[in-house]
Amino acid sequence: MAKLRPKAESQGEGPDGGYGWVLVGALFVSTSLVFGLMRSLGIFFVEFVQYFDESAQAISWISSTGLAAQQFFSPLGAALCNAYDTRWVVMTGGCLAALGLILASQATCLVHLYLTMGVISGLGWGLVFTPMVATVMANFTRRRTLALGLAFSSIGLSSFAFNPLFQLLVELYTWRGALLILGGLSLNIVPCGALIGPQRRSKAPAKVVSESGVSCASFLQRASSYLELPLLFERPYITYTLAISLLNVGYFVPYFHLVAHSRQVGFSEYQAAFVMSAAGATDILGRIASGWFSDLGHFRLIHLLSVWTTLAGVFIMLLPVSSLSGSYAALMVISLLYGFCSGALTSLVFAVVPMIVGVERMMGALGLLQLIESGAGLLGAPLSGLLKDITGDYTASFMVAGGFVVLGTLTMVTLPHYFSRKDPPPPKSLSPEDPDKAAELKQMHSSPSDMNDLTGEVTNNRLPEDTYS
Amino acid sequence: MNLLWAVSALLLSCWRANASTAPNIITEPSEVNNQTSAVLSCNLTETTLHIKGSHWVYNGKFIEGSKSEEATAYTTLSLYNISHKSAGKYECVFLTEPEVKQIIEVKILPHVAATKHSEHGNENDIGVMVCVSHGYPLPTDWTWFKGEEGSPPTPIINGTTDKYEIKSTPNKTTLTINDLSIENDIGDYSCSGTNELGTNSDKIHLRVRSRLAALWPFLGIVAEVIILVTIIFIYEKRRKPDDVTDDEDSGSAPLKSNSTENHKDTNVRQRNSN
């Protein structure tokens, strides 16, 4: 079933294709139910402001809490997947996310919403997103970025579709009923998780399977290996995480402020909203196009990522400049280009991680990355708002945001082996068995491989089969 | 007699001289009430001050394009399509040392608008309806009415029952209905705001949904999820029973087994066993 790979390919051992595309579909659905849903919660906020008689800022903390919880609990999700079966973690996450929304439908005060829609659903989303992304990436090598790009295009498409859908639900069932139905919709993450199938990787647990006893020290050691905490001491990973965090500071600013900036410059509500929609449309295109292009293999992923981030930063800085002249066309063009670049870089951000840390540690690496970049993301929007309050318009905010993005690119340049033509080999795995043999086994069986028992079989029967590829 | 006449003439001219040193703006019209368009004009009289120019201010903000550098004592501002967006306090400002200005108030009927014309509430839950007003002057009184088709609307009085709560500020009014019931509370409600010129109102339609209304689609989706998960698990068990047996037989001499394991194995197995 899986295409056999030459032994020299040690970058990633995914089989590329077949069942992998089913997983891409599962990631598509679950990402849309996580991020697409998060982005469309604005419909409910109008209702909440009126019903609970609170300010818009208090209500907006709901989605901030949800997003922060999703990113904060990502390492937990990654660690749990390392310790236990990925599918059960994702299914649990789906149930939690649904539970949060169902409980939110019964809320009687704002704090209830923070706890349910924010914390509980956020925890659920954290347990879903990182594990699903890591699983899809583990199942692809050559088409990894395309798979991610296709899956992440769901965010744009679903926020586009969910806005009118949620509005309809609120009209038909009031916001309580609509939240209840959303909880049901979120339950669809559970079959997506079930599609993952039983544990496919022999992972870090193999390293520590000899650990016995429940002493505190051994638990901490296991926990730190599941969380991949040693990664925090490796220079390439830290450099990359820092770069992505800097990127995150500036990346979201246009989403928050572009509409307000357009209105301030003098365009009407509809024109401003249309600019945002157009940027969203090119975002979707950018994700898929960049995914396809990156997988052609002409350039190293890290170089492509640097190009997209530099361009995105430049376009963010150009946004206020283009509207200086008052020309709607100029603003629209820059926004379209910005949308394309920001979508393009999204596909690549995750795909580069296994290049740096290796496929086995990818899960924990992604979790930690999400956690660290979330802090930066929380910084970006208030900072730009503050700049706007001080200077009176959005020029300074956009300039600073674009500056942070470009700074992220410059940080990426300091990665080791940045200027070499080919990707450096990822760090060697620490498992006692030969990693190449482990890769071989993984492809051939595509099933949970019990290393110790099958090694014997391999030496007797497997090696000659290589010649059949 | 002649002396008396001269003294009074002198006093009168002194008084008039005093009066003329205080600059006076004559506004035409002095107030605009409920008109669709108007021309506001200010005439600066009886002043010896040097006029550098003039401009207009609307609600404290400078009006673009109203600045004039001419040293005339007369300035006008034309207003077309006066609506709640353009009603308010207009001020003509003459750039003299010191500045001289005068306010002309442009008043209209209150512009009353419901934030949502169609509201939904859950049975036994609370229903909230909001009306806002823009324009000038803002309403001093708000009243809510509950109206049915073909019968006169009945006013809702605040404080007589637990059922209705009305909170009003000059630019916003909120009606909260407690314990909604499907029989009694469905219908049209209207909010009306009154200012010194008159009254305006807007209508809101309230729908009350049963709490169980959303339960059926929800249960339907839950059933779909359970079915999907069951199908996935069953399909998986069917497709790879050999993997399950693999795990069970681990270590127990798979070389010797003749079971139908992975097809990839069969060639190799036959070679070795033959």
Side-chain angles (χ1 to χ4, degrees), chain A residues 66-330:
Chain A
L67 183 64
Q70 185 264 319
Q71 289 175 319
F72 183 76
F73 289 117
S74 286
L76 175 67
L80 285 174
C81 288
N82 284 338
Y84 305 108
D85 209 343
T86 312
R87 87 188 324 187
W88 296 110
V89 176
V90 176
M91 288 169 75
T92 314
C95 290
L96 277 175
L99 183 69
L101 288 170
I102 294 171
L103 289 176
S105 72
Q106 307 301 317
T108 51
C109 69
L110 197 54
V111 177
H112 290 173
L113 287 177
Y114 291 148
L115 289 175
T116 54
M117 273 172 85
V119 177
I120 300 182
S121 289
L123 169 61
W125 292 328
L127 291 181
V128 165
F129 183 66
T130 307
M132 287 240 45
V133 169
T135 312
V136 165
M137 295 213 301
N139 274 279
F140 283 90
T141 315
R142 276 189 350 201
R143 303 252 187 81
R144 185 177 286 154
T145 329
L146 177 63
L148 284 181
L150 280 174
F152 291 154
S153 66
S154 70
I155 301 179
L157 290 170
S158 64
S159 60
F160 186 71
F162 280 169
N163 270 307
L165 175 67
F166 290 4
Q167 186 64 44
L168 182 69
L169 284 177
V170 169
E171 299 264 324
L172 287 178
Y173 298 109
T174 76
W175 63 266
R176 289 188 189 272
L179 276 181
L180 186 65
I181 295 180
L182 275 195
L185 279 180
S186 294
L187 265 185
N188 280 301
I189 295 177
V190 175
C192 293
L195 280 173
I196 293 180
Q199 186 79 321
R200 288 167 179 273
R201 300 167 285 107
S202 71
K203 222 269 126 203
K207 285 190 259 186
V208 291
V209 78
S210 54
E211 291 281 338
S212 60
V214 280
S215 66
C216 205
S218 78
F219 173 74
L220 282 178
Q221 192 179 10
R222 286 212 339 258
S224 96
S225 87
Y226 291 155
L227 284 168
E228 302 289 6
L229 287 179
L231 275 176
L232 291 175
F233 298 107
E234 285 180 29
R235 191 189 140 213
Y237 183 70
I238 276 291
T239 319
Y240 185 69
T241 311
L242 185 62
I244 299 300
S245 306
L246 287 170
L247 171 70
N248 244 31
V249 174
Y251 175 77
F252 290 108
V253 168
Y255 286 108
F256 291 134
H257 294 309
L258 186 56
V259 175
H261 171 67
S262 316
R263 297 289 314 281
Q264 196 179 35
V265 171
F267 300 120
S268 78
E269 288 172 343
Y270 287 109
Q271 284 176 312
F274 189 60
V275 168
M276 213 50 233
S277 308
T282 46
D283 182 289
I284 299 173
L285 277 177
R287 286 171 202 244
I288 304 180
S290 127
W292 169 80
F293 181 70
S294 318
D295 284 329
L296 291 179
H298 298 308
F299 301 99
R300 277 181 67 192
L301 290 186
I302 191 76
H303 292 160
L304 282 175
L305 181 60
S306 317
V307 167
W308 293 126
T309 46
T310 318
L311 283 177
V314 166
F315 288 135
I316 294 179
M317 288 199 272
L318 281 180
L319 274 171
V321 172
S322 71
S323 52
L324 270 180
S325 59
S327 152
Y328 187 62

Side-chain angles (χ1 to χ4, degrees), chain A residues 334-398:
Chain A
I334 300 287
S335 304
L336 288 173
L337 289 170
Y338 158 73
F340 189 84
C341 294
S342 80
L345 70 89
T346 328
S347 306
L348 285 168
V349 165
F350 292 120
V352 172
V353 172
M355 302 290 171
I356 299 178
V357 302
V359 179
E360 290 144 11
R361 301 193 292 175
M362 182 173 57
M363 176 79 81
L366 283 177
L368 283 176
L369 177 65
Q370 287 253 290
L371 173 66
I372 297 174
E373 72 173 2
S374 72
L378 280 176
L379 178 64
L383 177 64
S384 64
L386 181 69
L387 282 171
K388 188 253 172 185
D389 287 336
I390 295 177
T391 62
D393 66 12
Y394 289 100
T395 316
S397 317
F398 280 108

Side-chain angles (χ1 to χ4, degrees), chain B residues 35-226:
Chain B
Q35 290 168 11
T36 46
S37 65
V39 176
L40 309 176
S41 62
C42 287
N43 195 2
L44 181 62
T45 59
E46 297 169 4
T47 180
T48 52
L49 298 169
H50 173 59
I51 304 168
K52 292 194 218 97
S54 63
H55 64 255
W56 287 85
V57 168
Y58 170 59
N59 280 346
K61 274 175 63 172
F62 175 74
I63 302 178
E64 301 284 333
S66 67
K67 194 173 177 67
S68 158
E69 306 275 307
E70 293 166 37
T72 53
Y74 185 73
T75 179
T76 61
L77 183 71
S78 303
L79 297 175
Y80 308 104
N81 290 334
I82 297 177
S83 68
H84 62 276
K85 294 194 194 123
S86 48
K89 291 189 186 162
Y90 287 85
E91 222 172 355
C92 56
V93 180
F94 285 98
L95 299 171
T96 52
E97 295 293 332
E99 269 185 8
V100 185
K101 44 191 172 183
Q102 185 77 320
I103 293 181
I104 304 177
E105 288 177 310
V106 177
K107 299 183 182 174
I108 55 161
L109 284 176
H111 177 257
V112 172
T115 48
K116 281 174 20 179
H117 285 100
S118 175
E119 286 283 354
H120 315 271
N122 270 311
E123 205 179 3
N124 305 124
D125 197 8
I126 64 172
V128 178
M129 288 182 277
V130 177
C131 280
V132 294
S133 172
H134 303 286
Y136 182 83
L138 290 174
T140 46
D141 273 307
W142 286 98
T143 337
W144 284 89
F145 293 91
K146 178 170 162 48
E148 296 295 334
E149 297 291 325
S151 61
T154 53
I156 298 173
I157 320 284
N158 196 10
T160 46
T161 58
D162 281 332
K163 188 138 166 93
Y164 299 108
E165 268 171 54
I166 302 180
K167 279 191 273 201
S168 301
T169 63
N171 61 350
K172 191 167 107 164
T173 181
T174 311
L175 171 68
T176 308
I177 308 179
N178 294 315
D179 202 23
L180 289 170
S181 88
I182 294 188
E183 302 93 49
N184 301 334
D185 292 320
I186 292 185
D188 288 319
Y189 292 78
S190 58
C191 56
S192 73
T194 312
N195 71 358
E196 62 188 62
L197 290 183
T199 307
N200 241 336
S201 65
D202 202 0
K203 213 164 64 168
I204 303 176
H205 184 70
L206 177 70
R207 285 197 187 85
V208 181
R209 308 271 179 208
S210 157
R211 277 212 117 115
L212 299 177
L215 198 58
W216 305 119
F218 171 71
L219 289 177
I221 298 179
V222 171
E224 166 246 324
V225 166
I226 294 179

Side-chain angles (χ1 to χ4, degrees), chain A residues 47 50-51 87 102 171-174 176-177 180 184 188 191 197-198 444 447 453 457 461-462 465 468, chain B residues 116 119-120 122 125-126 128 209 214 217-218 221 224-225 232-233 236 243 255 264-265 268-269 271-272:
Chain A
E47 299 286 323
Q50 192 166 306
Y51 184 89
R87 87 188 324 187
I102 294 171
E171 299 264 324
L172 287 178
Y173 298 109
T174 76
R176 289 188 189 272
L180 186 65
N188 280 301
M444 292 178 193
S447 65
D453 293 316
E457 193 176 355
N461 296 324
R462 287 290 165 222
E465 199 169 3
Y468 284 117
Chain B
K116 281 174 20 179
E119 286 283 354
H120 315 271
N122 270 311
D125 197 8
I126 64 172
V128 178
R209 308 271 179 208
F218 171 71
I221 298 179
E224 166 246 324
V225 166
I232 291 174
F233 275 117
E236 203 172 275
D243 279 349
L255 287 171
K264 313 181 223 45
D265 293 3
V268 182
R269 295 211 180 284
R271 275 202 324 210
N272 279 338

